[in-house]
Each structure stands twice: as C-alpha cells, then as structure tokens.
Amino acid sequence: MEVEIAQADVRRVYRGGFSGPLVSAVIWAAASVASIWGPIWLSMSVLFLGGMMIFPLSAVVLKIMGGPAFLPRGHPSAALAMQCAFTVPLGLLVAIALGSVAPTLFLPASLIIVGAHYLTFISLYGMRLYGVLAGGLVAVGATAMFAAPPLRDVSGWIGAVILLAFAVLLYLAARAERQRNTSHA
C-alpha cells in the first residue's frame, strides 16, 4: 500500500482526527479546573488518566457519528497510530516529575509533550495542519515555562482552547475532503 493511500484511509476513518483534539480539550479543561481548585496531584492525575482515555473516547465519538471508528485489521498505519499514542503518557511521566518539584511547570511541560506528539500526525494523516497544532501547543508551553511565567496558571486553559479550535478545523478539513471525494465519484 502506498503512503498516500494509507494516509487517506486514516483521514477517512478518523474523520481527519478531529475527535482526538475534541476529547483532549475536555480533558485539558478538567485538568485546568483541578489545578485551580485542587492539589497539583489531582491535575496530574486528571491529565495522565484522562490522556489514556483519549483514544477510546474518540472512538466513541466516531461511533456515535456512524461509520468506522478503527482502521481495519492489518492496516499499515495502525502500528504508527499506536506508537504516536503511547508517546504522551510516557512523556507525561517527565512532566509529572517536574511538576512534583515545581508545580506551576506541570501544565506548560505537558503542553510541550502533547504538542510534540502531534508532529507524528503530520505523517500519519498527511495533514500539515497537525504541524500548526503542534507548534501552537509547544509555543504556549515554552512561552509559559521560559518567557512569561504568569501564563503558567492559564496555560492549560489556553491549550484546551487551541485543541478545541483545531478539532473544529480538522473536522471541517475532513468534511471538505469527503465532499470532494463524493463529487469526483
């Protein structure tokens, strides 16, 4: 199977991947609430455990919409999708360690890790839009960590808004591609 065909399958099945950032936005909002009204370990737990639920919850969103929610068994991109997903919980262990020492750095560091993981989605989906999403999350996290410490307390909220905005953009991109493919058929 050619790479372009595999990428088109991934875009079609996962509807451009919009459901992942959509679910992520909700989890980031919950982690942000926890960081304001609870101890830092609560925010860490929400983001870590919620992060492990992104793929299953995204599949539920896709199932509710109708159509497939998973790549077919044996699809060449299935392994890459799984590898992309596992980078976040492993990276979050570093953010948790950092946040245990300096709690205000947890959410900014997590944004950098989550943003970096979206770079692999450029190849998985064949969509440069994921590079913009990655850059936005990394920029907010790095700015909050190094250049504008007052952003640390709201960085999780900013990340949630960015993820929600990109969920909409990815959905619209997938819908436009589906309409193009339908009109050419």
Side-chain angles (χ1 to χ4, degrees):
M1 178 178 288
E2 291 184 26
V3 171
E4 292 83 12
I5 294 170
Q7 290 170 331
D9 287 346
V10 171
R11 288 192 306 273
R12 178 184 50 78
V13 168
Y14 296 126
R15 280 49 146 230
F18 87 95
S19 61
L22 177 65
V23 170
S24 295
V26 172
I27 292 167
W28 274 90
S32 296
V33 167
S35 76
I36 293 169
W37 288 300
I40 190 62
W41 65 263
L42 182 59
S43 180
M44 292 174 177
S45 298
V46 168
L47 199 56
F48 186 80
L49 297 173
M52 289 194 285
M53 296 303 298
I54 291 170
F55 183 74
L57 292 173
S58 297
V60 169
V61 170
L62 295 174
K63 274 295 188 193
I64 289 170
M65 293 178 67
F70 303 101
L71 289 171
R73 186 178 298 268
H75 193 279
S77 294
L80 177 58
M82 188 65 67
Q83 292 162 13
C84 295
F86 279 116
T87 62
V88 174
L90 298 174
L92 284 180
L93 294 174
V94 176
I96 289 169
L98 178 61
S100 297
V101 176
T104 62
L105 296 179
F106 170 68
L107 290 173
S110 298
L111 281 172
I112 293 169
I113 291 160
V114 170
H117 119 282
Y118 277 116
L119 290 171
T120 59
F121 283 45
I122 300 167
S123 295
L124 181 63
Y125 285 86
M127 296 174 70
R128 292 187 180 134
L129 191 54
Y130 279 107
V132 180
L133 172 56
L137 294 174
V138 169
V140 170
T143 299
M145 283 184 79
F146 302 112
L151 285 179
R152 291 175 185 171
D153 291 338
V154 295
S155 63
W157 290 109
I158 297 169
V161 169
I162 290 170
L163 287 160
L164 184 59
F166 274 87
V168 171
L169 293 172
L170 291 164
Y171 176 81
L172 293 174
R175 187 175 75 177
E177 181 177 12
R178 190 172 55 250
Q179 289 171 344
R180 278 192 309 274
N181 291 340
T182 303
S183 67
H184 287 86

